[in-house]
Amino acid sequence: MLSDSICCALYPGSFNPVHNGHLDIARRALRMFDEVVIAVYVHPGKPFLFSAEERVALIEKALKGEPRLRVATYSILTVDYARQVGAHAIIRGLRVFSDFELEFRMALTNRRLAPDIEIVNFISGEEYLHISSSTIREVASLGGDVSTMAPPHVVEALQQRFAKLKAEGSQSSFTVSIKD
Ligand code: ADP
C-alpha cells in the first residue's frame, strides 16, 4: 500500500432491475477499489417497474456479504454525489458500440464538471454482453425465462410484479414501465 487513504468508486445507474452484467462489473470494481458505492439514480416523476427502494433491496440481496460495497439512492448530479460519498472515480460498463457514444459524451461532460473525478469504463464480460435491464423486463413481461441473466430473487421479483400488473389489468403502467 502506498497510502492509507481509502480509494472509493461510485457505480451509478438505473438498475431497473439489477442483473448479472451489473453484478459482474460491481465485483470486478471491488478488485480495483477499496470501496464501491452502487448508486440508484432516482428520476423525479419517471415511472419505473421497481421503486428505488425495491431496486436497492434487490442489489443488496445480490451482493450480500460484501462489506466493501454499499448501495444508496441519489437524485442530484452524479459528480456531486460522487464528491458527497468521497468517490475518486465513477464506474460505467460498456457493452456494445452503441453504448460507447453516450458513455463517451457523458464521460467528457462529467470530466468538465469534475476534473478531479476519473471515469473508469469496464468492458462487459462476453457472457453478459446481451443483457440489459430493458431486455430482461421485456422478456419477463412476456413470460420468457430470464434465469440465466439475473439472480433467482430478481427473476422471482419480475415474475411477481408482472403477475400483479396483469391481475390489476394496469396495461398502461405496464407498458410504460418496461420502457426506461
Ligand atoms: P443507466 O440508465 O445509467 O444506463 P443501467 O442500469 O442501464 O443504468 O446501467 C448501469 C451501468 O451498468 C451502465 O454503465 C451500463 O453501461 C452498465 N451495464 C448495463 N448492462 C451491462 C452489461 N450487460 N454488462 C456490463 N455493463 C452493463
Side-chain angles (χ1 to χ4, degrees), residues 135-144 146 158 162 166 174 178:
T135 303
I136 289 185
R137 291 195 305 272
E138 205 146 351
V139 173
S141 75
L142 297 166
V146 292
L158 281 161
F162 284 119
K166 272 186 190 140
F174 171 84
I178 62 169

Side-chain angles (χ1 to χ4, degrees), residues 11-58:
Y11 182 22
S14 308
F15 305 103
N16 184 40
V18 69
H19 56 65
N20 293 344
H22 292 134
L23 297 173
D24 178 54
I25 301 289
R27 291 192 180 106
R28 284 163 57 197
L30 279 174
R31 289 195 221 136
M32 221 170 144
F33 297 96
D34 300 314
E35 274 179 6
V36 173
V37 178
I38 300 189
V40 174
Y41 180 63
V42 182
H43 289 257
K46 196 171 164 184
F48 276 88
L49 184 63
F50 294 104
S51 69
E53 294 70 29
E54 288 170 327
R55 284 178 273 156
V56 166
L58 291 173

Side-chain angles (χ1 to χ4, degrees), residues 11-16 19 21-22 25 91-95 99 103 122 124-125 128-133 180:
Y11 182 22
S14 308
F15 305 103
N16 184 40
H19 56 65
H22 292 134
I25 301 289
I91 293 166
R92 296 287 294 173
L94 280 179
R95 281 161 298 188
D99 279 350
E103 294 297 335
F122 281 78
S124 175
Y128 309 115
L129 278 175
H130 62 293
I131 307 177
S132 70
S133 296
D180 260 353

Side-chain angles (χ1 to χ4, degrees), residues 43-110:
H43 289 257
K46 196 171 164 184
F48 276 88
L49 184 63
F50 294 104
S51 69
E53 294 70 29
E54 288 170 327
R55 284 178 273 156
V56 166
L58 291 173
I59 302 169
E60 279 176 341
K61 189 162 177 185
L63 292 162
K64 209 170 73 186
E66 182 42 79
R68 294 185 297 124
L69 213 141
R70 197 151 59 80
V71 191
T73 60
Y74 76 107
S75 53
I76 56 175
L77 262 183
T78 300
V79 288
D80 288 345
Y81 189 65
R83 285 208 179 99
Q84 226 176 72
V85 299
H88 303 86
I90 292 174
I91 293 166
R92 296 287 294 173
L94 280 179
R95 281 161 298 188
V96 285
F97 280 125
S98 51
D99 279 350
F100 184 78
E101 194 188 339
L102 173 69
E103 294 297 335
F104 188 63
R105 273 194 285 126
M106 230 159 51
L108 292 178
T109 306
N110 283 333

Side-chain angles (χ1 to χ4, degrees), residues 7 53 126 142 158 164 166 170-171:
C7 196
E53 294 70 29
E126 270 178 81
L142 297 166
L158 281 161
K164 182 170 175 270
K166 272 186 190 140
S170 46
Q171 194 59 36

